[in-house]
Amino acid sequence: MEATPIAGGPVGTTTGRAKPIPPPNRASRLTTLPAATTQVVVVTGESYSTTYATLETFHKVNGHWVAVSAPLPARIGSKGFSDNHLEGVPNTPTGVYSFGPTMYGIGANPGVRYPYHQVVQYDWWNENPDSPAYNTFQHTTTNPGGWSEALWTEKPAYTHFAVITYNMPPNVAAPVPMKGSGIFLHEYSTSGGNATAGCVSMSHANLVSVLKWLDPARSPRIVMCPVQNLGRY
């Protein structure tokens, strides 16, 4: 995605040269992002109960957050957002998260900058809270149990997806049983878009655009919450 210039706004001076400061945007309300983070994905909805969201992408230019694309439509959990997500409850966890070190998909690599694993038969996401491998990718001919997902069967949702590091490193040292698992940024499961079991979903074209833009060298983060709570993060 190419950056969309932001016109107008006040002018600031840096090292004796005037530089335009972008007008306030949703990324500029964030206060807890790591200093190394220069890409951020912001997913917001109008309330905790909505299943409809807007996904926006920003990058840092001269110390200020600048919009990269127009706001994109997205869907979240069928029970909206939650500050206390639990396994098996179809809501989307609020907070600030990284993207997992590997992107995945049933389809071939669309050209992402992350390492990419093309999903094959017996690739699972372990969503069994009683398993020592809870909330991790596994290749095994044995179903890990619980709510575990057979990734190779989830068409078209898992054509391509990025892992959101909810209840996994680096957000927590190790997954906490029953706190939830398998939170992804993925494609709509239906052609018209639909609420999810807790993930964030988008159209195929918009998803591929975002996944190709994300750059691990820029320490990207994703922020998910009702719009009125952005100041928490």
Side-chain angles (χ1 to χ4, degrees):
M1 292 185 297
E2 295 298 325
T4 302
I6 303 294
V11 174
T13 301
T14 304
T15 63
R17 297 182 61 188
K19 294 182 179 179
I21 298 175
N25 54 47
R26 291 183 177 176
S28 66
R29 295 167 61 183
L30 302 170
T31 61
T32 68
L33 296 178
T37 292
T38 58
Q39 287 184 332
V40 66
V41 177
V42 178
V43 179
T44 54
E46 294 303 315
S47 68
Y48 273 95
S49 60
T50 187
T51 70
Y52 290 86
T54 297
L55 185 149
E56 298 172 83
T57 53
F58 302 89
H59 66 177
K60 193 166 272 190
V61 178
N62 297 325
H64 300 284
W65 289 109
V66 177
V68 174
S69 70
L72 304 171
R75 299 296 299 272
I76 59 170
S78 61
K79 290 196 173 182
F81 286 112
S82 175
D83 294 336
N84 185 32
H85 177 69
L86 297 173
E87 189 66 61
V89 181
N91 49 39
T92 297
T94 57
V96 181
Y97 305 99
S98 301
F99 292 95
T102 301
M103 290 183 178
Y104 298 88
I106 296 168
N109 186 346
V112 302
R113 305 183 198 203
Y114 280 71
Y116 186 87
H117 173 79
Q118 188 167 2
V119 169
V120 298
Q121 187 176 15
Y122 304 126
D123 282 350
W124 299 82
W125 199 265
N126 185 324
E127 300 181 27
N128 180 358
D130 296 325
S131 168
Y134 179 53
N135 202 18
T136 66
F137 171 87
Q138 285 187 275
H139 179 78
T140 172
T141 56
T142 303
N143 186 332
W147 288 270
S148 296
E149 293 186 89
L151 300 176
W152 72 96
T153 68
E154 298 291 338
K155 301 177 181 179
Y158 293 169
T159 301
H160 308 293
F161 67 94
V163 177
I164 297 170
T165 61
Y166 170 77
N167 196 28
M168 60 190 300
N171 282 80
V172 294
V176 178
M178 287 304 299
K179 285 296 289 182
S181 57
I183 303 298
F184 305 143
L185 175 61
H186 67 72
E187 184 174 332
Y188 291 145
S189 297
T190 63
S191 59
N194 56 289
T196 72
C199 297
V200 178
S201 65
M202 310 173 68
S203 72
H204 175 83
N206 286 342
L207 175 71
V208 169
S209 182
V210 171
L211 296 186
K212 290 172 67 175
W213 169 75
L214 287 168
D215 184 351
R218 301 185 70 174
S219 300
R221 294 293 187 272
I222 182 168
V223 180
M224 307 186 294
C225 67
V227 66
Q228 67 269 23
N229 291 349
L230 275 172
R232 293 181 181 179
Y233 308 108

